[in-house]
Amino acid sequence: MDNRLPYYMAYPMPLLYDDDKVARRDLDYMKSLYPAAAKRLIPYIEDECDRLEYEGSMMYDEYPDQLQLRLMCRRIYDRAEEDEEVPGKWLHDLIQVMAYQELCRRRCEHRNMRRKYY
């Protein structure tokens, strides 16, 4: 009897779509390590980014308008400052950093999704 394995069993192909799952799990883990103040801001930032996530949004512009980005961060700040004991410049700076990071992540996902289907 021939004991040779077929080629596809001898050299298994890595799962092509596992990279997205691993990246998402890694991101979720890193978000769980955020300090308490940053964890409280996550829902506000994700809600605002969800609101902007549509085809043709300024979020997907090659160079998003700085004024629109600052207005977006101001809307998040206005909603989040009610929950903070001592809101201030530090909160606004933290919101900007987290919002820009979230926008960057969503832009990358959008680019990768377009590449897969077109």
Side-chain angles (χ1 to χ4, degrees):
M1 193 94 177
D2 194 12
N3 289 336
R4 288 183 289 169
L5 289 173
Y7 177 79
Y8 65 89
M9 292 179 77
Y11 302 102
M13 295 291 292
L15 296 175
L16 295 176
Y17 301 107
D18 245 10
D19 293 341
D20 295 339
K21 186 190 286 185
V22 170
R24 172 54 79 179
R25 188 176 58 226
D26 199 28
L27 179 68
D28 290 341
Y29 174 71
M30 290 300 180
K31 281 185 178 182
S32 74
L33 298 176
Y34 282 0
K39 283 182 183 177
R40 287 191 301 269
L41 293 175
I42 291 173
Y44 300 115
I45 292 169
E46 288 180 347
D47 285 346
E48 189 66 27
C49 288
D50 288 343
R51 193 178 71 77
L52 290 174
E53 199 165 13
Y54 58 88
E55 203 58 45
S57 170
M58 70 95 179
M59 179 169 40
Y60 301 125
D61 289 347
E62 186 173 353
Y63 298 102
D65 183 36
Q66 285 187 12
L67 177 64
Q68 292 299 318
L69 292 175
R70 289 176 195 226
L71 289 173
M72 177 191 73
C73 291
R74 185 63 193 191
R75 284 192 300 269
I76 296 169
Y77 178 82
D78 290 341
R79 290 177 53 204
E81 75 176 332
E82 299 165 356
D83 295 341
E84 289 299 319
E85 298 167 2
V86 187
K89 179 90 171 103
W90 70 271
L91 181 63
H92 195 268
D93 291 344
L94 181 60
I95 287 171
Q96 278 189 313
V97 169
M98 291 178 67
Y100 297 162
Q101 186 270 334
E102 182 70 17
L103 284 174
C104 185
R105 184 186 65 79
R106 289 180 186 227
R107 287 165 56 101
C108 288
E109 284 180 0
H110 180 74
R111 252 183 261 123
N112 291 340
M113 187 175 64
R114 279 194 358 224
R115 240 183 252 136
K116 286 180 186 173
Y117 298 117
Y118 294 127

